[in-house]
């Protein structure tokens, strides 16, 4: 057992908790258990122990090398006899012994297929085992209920903020965030929030998993919480906590008033232990939009104080609602005749409806359900699977490319390439296309890559069989006349040179002499 365990960056461990720890003493080695003899060990056991010395040891080392290879081969062959260790064609053969065929045209990895075969053969084909098989093919995103935050990172979450989670209608996970959870308090990243939730779940032996999820449409990261249960029975629900005001797994109800709203807090006249929050004056909040079962968050923003007594702050489930009041259970409440929080009112009281995250509410899900009392089951499948190979040339579910053969290509001195196709193409100005196999020709003087992805130019306009695109690199223009006056060189080109003030140019001339091509750099001007 290790002694003197200290929290990371602290001087002592006072109570159990989550986090990163360092050990200050050496942990004794744990007995490794039985180990198979090596080929050399077996030889030593079968020779008289009188033989010893460096030469004898070297001789045994040499003899045992061949046996060691044979032993390794034997172990590898032996592993192919079992479904849990077989690989490649042997795995397919072992699975077929149990009636499990390898899915064709899918590109499933050995590890995935092995898991599929084991799950299929180790259990009866119950609803649970079928759900497990669906998880192999389609992943957590389509087989487990989940809830995703409405707000993206960063989150203004600080140490002490809580998030109250209910999963599967029967398990509560109350997460309290610590300063060590974040690199920067008040600017928490989605991955940091997700890791803190998952650590808390592991510490409490709850199989809840949270992940950071990137949304390609917004380019932002969000937090998603998964149910521990596969299938339609799983649920995820947020029941409160100050962190919810910033994560917003459920959008706040449009109820709260404004900076002029005045509240009062009193004991309920009908239910013992209930606190009654009533509208007094100012802008009237739409309390009637809430309902029993909703919850209200009453917290000040970080660094601010609330006009509500600390005993009247927190996350509370609403037990009674009227036109101008709501009640919550809080036997520790303190009566307040008039509470005005000024400009902080918007962030002090937020109402939420704890909508459940269900599998069937996802846009893309897979599930198994039993059809009433009959022996039939219904299986819902998405269109795509996570185990489909998606690398060229066997990618699945992708639109096949449209290709045209190129009959001729030309490039002018400005780097504009004109392509002529052997058949009509469907490209229009602004389309992206990929061209390959062209060989550069330097006779025009223009440079830049010819092959790659480009955009069809609007000028010259594409026709049925021609289109043009612009290459990068340098461009050239032929000089028709040049003159010098007061150290200024005036150059006239035979065509449009596309130059702008401030650009650099290289002026060269070419001398043809027999079969030699001589280039001379005559100057570098701006």
């Amino acid at each position: 057992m290790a002694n003197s365990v200290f929290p990371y960056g602290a001087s002592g461990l006072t109570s159990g908790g989550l986090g990163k720890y360092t050990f200050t003493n050496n942990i004794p080695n744990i007995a490794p258990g039985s180990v198979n003899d090596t080929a050399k060990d077996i030889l030593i056991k079968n020779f008289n122990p009188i033989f010893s010395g460096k030469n004898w040891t070297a001789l045994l080392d040499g003899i045992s090398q061949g046996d060691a290879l044979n032993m390794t081969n034997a172990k590898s062959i032996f592993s192919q006899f079992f479904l849990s260790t077989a690989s490649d064609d042997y795995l397919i053969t072992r699975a077929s012994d149990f009636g499990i065929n390898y899915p064709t045209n899918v590109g499933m990895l050995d590890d995935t297929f092995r898991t599929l075969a084991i799950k299929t053969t180790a259990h009866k084909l119950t609803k649970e085992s079928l759900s497990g098989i669906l998880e192999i093919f389609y992943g957590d995103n389509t087989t487990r209920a989940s809830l995703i935050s409405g707000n993206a990172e960063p989150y203004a979450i600080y140490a002490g903020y809580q998030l109250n989670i209910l999963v599967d209608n029967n398990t509560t996970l109350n997460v309290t965030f610590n300063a060590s959870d974040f690199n920067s308090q008040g600017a928490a990243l989605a991955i940091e929030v997700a890791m803190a939730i998952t650590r808390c779940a592991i510490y409490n032996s709850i199989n809840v998993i949270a992940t950071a999820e990137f949304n390609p449409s917004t380019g932002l990261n969000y937090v998603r919480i998964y149910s521990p249960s596969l299938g339609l029975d799983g649920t995820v629900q947020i029941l409160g906590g100050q962190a919810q005001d910033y994560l917003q797994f459920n959008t706040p109800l449009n109820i709260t008033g404004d900076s002029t709203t005045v509240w009062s807090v009193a004991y309920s006249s009908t239910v013992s232990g209930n606190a009654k929050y009533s509208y007094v004056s100012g802008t009237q909040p739409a309390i009637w939009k809430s309902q029993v079962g909703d919850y209200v968050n009453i917290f000040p923003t970080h660094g601010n104080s609330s006009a509500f007594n600390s005993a009247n702050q927190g996350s509370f489930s609403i037990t009674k609602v009227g036109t101008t009041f709501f009640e919550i259970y809080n036997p520790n409440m303190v009566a307040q005749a008039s509470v005005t929080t000024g400009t902080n009112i918007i962030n002090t009281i937020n109402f939420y409806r704890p909508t459940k995250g269900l599998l069937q509410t996802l846009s893309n899900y897979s599930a198994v359900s039993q059809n009433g009392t009959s022996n039939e089951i219904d299986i819902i499948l998405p269109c795509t699977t996570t185990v489909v190979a998606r690398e060229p040339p066997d990618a699945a579910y992708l639109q096949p490319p449209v290709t045209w053969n190129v009959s001729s290509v030309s490039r002018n001195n400005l780097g504009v390439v004109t392509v002529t196709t052997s058949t009509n193409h469907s490209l229009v100005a602004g389309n992206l296309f990929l061209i390959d196999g062209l060989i550069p020709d330097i006779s025009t003087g223009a440079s830049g890559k010819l092959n790659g992805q480009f955009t069809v130019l609007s000028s010259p306009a594409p026709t049925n069989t021609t289109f043009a695109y612009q290459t990068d690199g340098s461009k050239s223009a032929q000089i028709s006349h040049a003159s010098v006056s007061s150290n200024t060189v005036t150059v006239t080109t035979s065509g449009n040179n596309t130059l702008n003030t401030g650009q650099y140019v290289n002026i060269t001339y070419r001398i043809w002499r027999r079969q030699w091509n001589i280039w001379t750099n005559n100057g570098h001007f701006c």
Side-chain angles (χ1 to χ4, degrees), residues 279-363:
Y279 160 71
V280 177
S281 62
T283 300
Q284 183 174 357
I287 301 175
W288 58 87
K289 292 182 180 179
S290 64
Q291 61 188 31
V292 174
D294 291 345
Y295 65 91
V296 58
N297 272 1
I298 306 175
F299 295 103
T301 54
H302 181 74
N304 296 312
S305 59
S306 173
F308 285 101
N309 186 282
S310 59
N312 298 330
Q313 299 177 29
S315 290
F316 306 99
S317 179
I318 296 176
T319 59
K320 190 175 182 180
V321 176
T323 305
T324 59
F325 73 92
F326 66 91
E327 292 188 8
I328 54 95
Y329 179 73
N330 182 12
N332 299 317
M333 58 83 64
V334 174
Q336 293 182 274
S338 177
V339 180
T340 304
T341 54
T343 57
N344 206 25
I345 185 70
I346 301 299
N347 294 316
T348 298
I349 300 183
N350 283 316
F351 294 80
Y352 297 93
R353 184 150 298 149
T355 305
K356 294 179 181 179
L358 305 173
L359 183 61
Q360 54 268 39
T361 59
L362 300 176
S363 58

Side-chain angles (χ1 to χ4, degrees), residues 82 137 252:
F82 302 96
F137 276 91

Side-chain angles (χ1 to χ4, degrees), residues 43 60 78 100 104 110-111 122 129 152 159 192 197 227 267 296-297 331 342 345 396 404 430 436 487 491:
L43 287 175
L60 291 182
F78 184 75
I100 309 299
T104 58
D110 277 0
D111 289 342
S129 61
E192 293 174 329
I197 294 172
S227 163
Y267 294 98
V296 58
N297 272 1
I345 185 70
W404 301 281
D436 195 17
N487 297 324
V491 177

Side-chain angles (χ1 to χ4, degrees), residues 20 74 203-204 274 292 352 372 407 501:
K20 188 163 51 175
Y203 182 79
N204 289 279
N274 267 14
V292 174
Y352 297 93
S407 59
T501 302

